[in-house]
């Protein structure tokens, strides 16, 4: 089952559902995602209008209550670290390449920190700066290295507290595609301060216009094909087949000693080869970006 939301001529946000991509959308009066939004419809409509939505426009499939972003793919961390060195520390990049050639192993500094191997690590981002697919986006003024990140997002339909992984996974209401936009020239200096990323991430994220009920994705999410296209050409087919943590483990860790509520949003972190820094492809004004996870949704943005 797919879900989306659309602005009506009266300024209301209507929920629409369909069984599959070949079926017609029909309006639903039920809480399609399994929970009632904690935000008023008037507030959500005002937010959507701020993103340029008018009558008939498709808006965010849900407004996140909060946003936690994980990193569960080791190879993404290694690839991204290599890409960062190539762009910002070319001397280090050449040295690391030589070490890797001799040892046939990843350069040690490119691996995640030891804590990453002991528990699923995440950072808290800004849930109020999400924009829907189709929005024209631009880098903040302090950016010299604007990047995208293809991720799988999932929203809670039920509360959690000190949950087991088995309990936690049952609380997932729906999945969507997520783009975690990043300013790479700012990110590493921020993270090197011993705090998490801030201005490099909080300015904007985006979601696909559709969400998909959990049952359609849960058992096969690591095998769903995905792609990144830039200006109409596929430049990457990101991989999710080797996560270090399960979705249940991620949510159980988040709920340890902390109450989680319906509407809170989580993401896997970037798929392997799911960002431009990994493959040396950066986004710039005039580009058109398209991210897709088959069976989940599509994100499209023109870059201004």
């Amino acid at each position: 089952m797919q879900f989306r939301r659309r602005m009506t001529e009266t300024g209301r946000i209507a929920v629409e559902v369909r069984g599959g991509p070949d079926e017609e959308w029909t309006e639903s009066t039920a809480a399609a995602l399994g929970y009632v939004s904690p935000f008023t419809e008037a507030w959500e409509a005002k937010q959507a209008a701020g993103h340029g939505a008018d009558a008939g426009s498709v808006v965010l499939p849900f407004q996140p209550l909060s946003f936690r972003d994980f990193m569960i793919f080791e190879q993404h961390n290694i690839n991204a670290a290599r890409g960062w060195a190539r762009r910002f520390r070319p001397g280090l990049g050449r040295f690391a390449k030589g070490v890797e050639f001799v040892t046939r192993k990843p350069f040690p500094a490119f691996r995640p920190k030891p804590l990453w191997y002991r528990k699923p690590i995440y950072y808290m981002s800004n849930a109020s700066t999400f924009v829907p697919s189709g929005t024209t986006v631009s880098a903040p003024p302090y950016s010299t290295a604007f990047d995208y990140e293809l991720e799988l997002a999932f929203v809670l339909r039920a509360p959690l507290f000190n949950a087991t992984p088995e309990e936690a996974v049952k609380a997932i209401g729906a999945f969507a595609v997520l783009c975690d936009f990043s300013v790479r020239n700012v990110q590493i200096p921020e993270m090197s301060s011993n705090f998490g990323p801030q201005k490099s991430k909080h300015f904007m994220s985006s979601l696909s216009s559709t969400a998909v009920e959990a049952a359609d994705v849960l058992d096969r999410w690591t095998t769903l094909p995905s792609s990144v296209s830039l200006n109409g050409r596929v430049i990457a087919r990101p991989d999710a087949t080797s996560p270090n943590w399960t979705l249940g483990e991620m949510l159980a860790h988040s709920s340890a000693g902390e109450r989680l509520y319906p509407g809170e949003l989580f993401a896997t972190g970037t798929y392997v080869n799911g960002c431009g820094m990994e493959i040396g492809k950066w986004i710039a004004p005039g580009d058109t970006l398209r991210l897709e996870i088959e069976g989940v949704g599509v994100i499209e943005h023109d870059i201004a």
Side-chain angles (χ1 to χ4, degrees):
M1 181 77 73
Q2 292 182 322
F3 315 95
R4 73 178 184 185
R5 299 193 304 169
R6 183 183 293 276
M7 287 277 283
T8 68
E9 293 183 356
T10 60
R12 188 173 63 87
I13 297 180
V15 178
E16 299 177 330
V17 300
R18 66 179 181 181
D22 297 326
E23 298 185 18
E24 295 293 325
W25 290 100
T26 60
E27 189 168 336
S28 171
T29 56
L33 296 176
Y35 71 94
V36 177
S37 174
F39 302 97
T40 67
E41 188 173 54
W43 184 87
E44 290 207 50
K46 184 176 180 180
Q47 287 288 103
H51 299 146
D54 52 18
S57 295
V58 175
V59 301
L60 289 171
F62 49 82
Q63 174 63 47
L65 180 61
S66 71
F67 175 39
R68 294 169 178 82
D69 201 4
F70 287 79
M71 186 183 73
I72 63 173
F73 299 104
E74 180 186 34
Q75 193 61 48
H76 159 69
N77 192 96
I78 294 169
N79 292 350
R82 286 180 183 143
W84 183 86
R86 285 195 302 266
R87 172 74 185 262
F88 299 103
R89 295 282 300 279
L92 173 62
R94 290 190 293 271
F95 174 74
K97 185 177 181 179
V99 171
E100 292 183 335
F101 178 79
V102 172
T103 64
R104 302 299 179 183
K105 296 179 180 179
F107 188 59
F110 292 166
R111 291 187 180 276
K113 300 297 183 184
L115 183 63
W116 183 88
Y117 296 94
R118 300 199 297 270
K119 62 179 65 175
I121 299 301
Y122 65 88
Y123 77 95
M124 297 289 292
S125 194
N126 190 343
S128 66
T129 56
F130 272 86
V131 299
S133 173
T135 306
T136 297
V137 302
S138 59
Y142 46 83
S143 171
T144 60
F146 191 32
D147 201 3
Y148 62 88
E149 298 187 57
L150 181 148
E151 309 185 16
L152 180 68
F154 45 103
V155 64
L156 289 187
R157 64 174 177 81
L160 291 174
F161 183 61
N162 290 329
T164 66
E166 294 74 22
E167 293 168 339
V169 78
K170 295 177 182 177
I172 297 175
F175 289 90
V177 185
L178 184 145
C179 181
D180 178 29
F181 285 107
S182 302
V183 176
R184 300 301 193 184
N185 58 295
V186 175
Q187 181 182 355
I188 299 303
E190 286 184 338
M191 296 177 71
S192 298
S193 72
N194 292 324
F195 272 48
Q198 301 122 50
K199 302 302 290 184
S200 59
K201 298 279 192 176
H202 292 185
F203 64 96
M204 183 174 53
S205 303
S206 69
L207 287 170
S208 54
S209 58
T210 59
V212 181
E213 66 179 342
D216 289 349
V217 175
L218 266 177
D219 294 335
R220 61 193 186 104
W221 73 270
T222 61
T223 62
L224 295 174
S226 64
S227 64
V228 178
S229 299
L230 195 60
N231 302 323
R233 184 173 68 88
V234 175
I235 60 171
R237 297 193 183 277
D239 177 45
T241 57
S242 300
N244 201 62
W245 303 97
T246 68
L247 304 183
E249 288 169 337
M250 294 158 64
L251 285 172
H253 174 64
S254 299
S255 76
E258 180 179 353
R259 295 189 183 278
L260 306 180
Y261 296 94
E264 296 202 68
L265 182 67
F266 303 80
T268 58
T270 310
Y271 282 15
V272 178
N273 290 329
C275 73
M277 188 161 66
E278 289 182 79
I279 62 174
K281 297 289 187 181
W282 302 86
I283 48 178
D287 286 340
T288 297
L289 175 69
R290 187 180 193 273
L291 311 177
E292 179 177 10
I293 300 176
E294 191 173 304
V296 181
V298 175
I299 293 175
E300 294 182 301
H301 296 295
D302 290 333
I303 314 300

